[in-house]
Amino acid sequence: MNTAAPLVKPLLEVRDLKQYFPIAMGFFKTALLKAVDGVSFTVQRGETLGLVGESGCGKTTVGRSLLHLYPITGGEVFFNGVKITRETLPAFRRQAQLVFQDPYSSLNPRMTVGDIIAEPIDVHHLCATKQERAERVNELLQVVGLSSEQATRYAHEFSGGQRQRIGIARALASKPEFIVCDEPVSALDVSIQAQVINMLEDLQRRFGLSYLFIAHDLSVVKHISRRIAVMYLGKIVETATSNELHRFPLHPYTQSLLSAVPVPDPQKARAIRRIVLTGDVPSPLRVPSGCPFRTRCARAMPLCAQEEPVFQEAAPEHFAACHLLQKA
Ligand code: SF4
């Protein structure tokens, strides 16, 4: 289902994406771990779509699968209206990049920062001469707030925030239109998180970038995202604009995530009723029948065990999958 405003052709469209991993369960037995199970969404040009959910809900797998970092089990990805296939993948790889979660392990300690940033330039043969390559690296360092003298240093000489800037410079090197930001600030100190998010917003305005911004924390994606998609056990259970989702969350899972977001005003904080989820997240190897959230949902009813709720539009640009929508 297309969950974006229908009038504008999206930059990226993901249709019914599936990513299953076979897991050995003993002699001659395998089970399928459904990490991503029928996920669809769009990202408009210049837009940020936030993708949130608890650890293990499949959001990182969505980002990597749509980039075709591993073969997808099912579904289709379209970029600029072109379906990603073996033939169109090389061009897509240049136009769509990834910023990794961990700035400590995602940079090769044996390479200089200049060579790390130049990797996409070399892979896609984007500079004709060494001089041109060096100038481009210097330009990218300055774009992310570092200096050209730092090109000859190694990643361990930099702080976490600076390393993430290096990772962002590397992602920008191929002049992409779209970047998957996979929890880009979750490994950083809170004081540094805002700096990196502000920089990503500046870069978006400057270069017309579109982001899929993955996070486990709704408060992180609230300001940077125009729309937010909430994931649970491999499926998207709600999407809406950031404002609408925060003001009128429809799915009980979204309501519980929002109730856990810290509120700085003590008076407002006291007024918020905290919804504590009961039970553990079920294993993706044994997804509950009907609604996948039913084992932890305080509002579950018999129908929830029998039928999977349809992901449906409840208001303009606001979709959710919950049987309560029929009762509303
Ligand atoms: Fe809860 Fe039922 Fe809605 Fe699922 S469909 S979120 S179990 S009320």
Side-chain angles (χ1 to χ4, degrees), residues 21 31 35 43 54 87 98 108 117 121 132 168 208 239 303 327:
F21 298 107
V43 180
E54 290 164 290
E87 288 71 36
L98 174 66
N108 188 332
I117 293 173
I121 296 171
E132 198 186 328
I168 292 167
T239 60
L303 176 64
K327 295 193 152 211

Side-chain angles (χ1 to χ4, degrees), residues 251-253 291 293-294 297 299-301 304 309 321-324:
H251 197 283
Y253 179 57
C291 173
F293 186 57
R294 72 173 170 82
C297 179
R299 305 182 67 187
M301 46 199 165
C304 303
C322 176
H323 289 308
L324 292 170

Side-chain angles (χ1 to χ4, degrees), residues 21-33 285:
F21 298 107
I23 303 288
M25 301 293 281
F27 287 118
F28 308 116
K29 265 189 166 180
T30 53
L32 277 183
L33 187 149
L285 287 167

Side-chain angles (χ1 to χ4, degrees), residues 52 218 228 230-232 237-239 244-263 272-277 293 296-300 318 320-322 324-325 328:
V52 293
L218 263 168
I228 294 175
V230 180
M231 263 192 97
Y232 186 79
V237 296
E238 184 162 7
T239 60
E244 166 100 359
L245 192 88
H246 281 80
R247 291 178 65 200
F248 308 111
L250 294 174
H251 197 283
Y253 179 57
T254 312
Q255 290 164 359
S256 70
L257 289 182
L258 277 169
S259 79
V261 173
V263 178
I272 291 172
R273 189 173 61 89
R274 181 93 206 271
I275 304 168
V276 181
L277 291 177
F293 186 57
R296 302 172 80 201
C297 179
R299 305 182 67 187
H318 194 164
C322 176
L324 292 170
L325 293 180

Side-chain angles (χ1 to χ4, degrees), residues 10-15 76-84:
L11 176 70
L12 178 92
E13 183 173 2
V14 174
R15 286 189 200 160
E76 297 169 311
V77 178
F78 294 83
F79 192 73
N80 273 322
V82 176
K83 183 176 170 180
I84 307 308

